[in-house]
Amino acid sequence: MAALFLETSALVKRWVSEKGSSWVRAQTGAGVPEPLFVVRFVGPEVAGALTRARKGGRITEPVRARALAELRTDLAGTLDVLEVTRVVLERATALA
């Protein structure tokens, strides 16, 4: 079984349509058995990116609100959240 490590820009593609969004949505949709790893600080980074997308007119406020609700739910259960330690950062760098 493969695992995916999602950094902030990849996770944002779940809600903001841009190049690569279709692939990310296919890899992270319901029923996907692979573990999806993120680091703890992805929450505030994604929230900031969604707010910038809203202010830039790329998404609507209802889309931003729904995305933030989904993000909170995902961080509480669907995503495997890694605490940021030196070892985690080194491993993430090696996988990138």
Side-chain angles (χ1 to χ4, degrees):
M1 171 177 14
L4 289 177
F5 174 81
L6 302 171
E7 46 84 47
T8 301
S9 67
L11 201 53
V12 168
K13 291 177 190 309
R14 294 177 71 190
W15 302 286
V16 179
S17 292
E18 54 192 32
K19 186 176 182 177
S21 292
S22 297
W23 185 87
V24 169
R25 290 175 186 141
Q27 302 302 311
T28 61
V32 175
E34 288 81 16
L36 302 172
F37 292 98
V38 297
V39 291
R40 175 67 59 199
F41 58 77
V42 79
E45 287 186 341
V46 169
L50 291 169
T51 297
R52 286 188 299 279
R54 168 63 187 110
K55 289 180 178 180
R58 294 173 44 216
I59 60 173
T60 64
E61 179 54 32
V63 169
R64 186 187 78 85
R66 185 180 75 244
L68 289 173
E70 290 175 9
L71 176 63
R72 281 190 293 275
T73 299
D74 290 347
L75 288 171
T78 305
L79 299 172
D80 291 301
V81 180
L82 302 171
E83 298 303 330
V84 182
T85 65
R86 183 182 59 77
V87 172
V88 169
L89 290 174
E90 288 173 358
R91 183 70 176 137
T93 301
L95 290 173

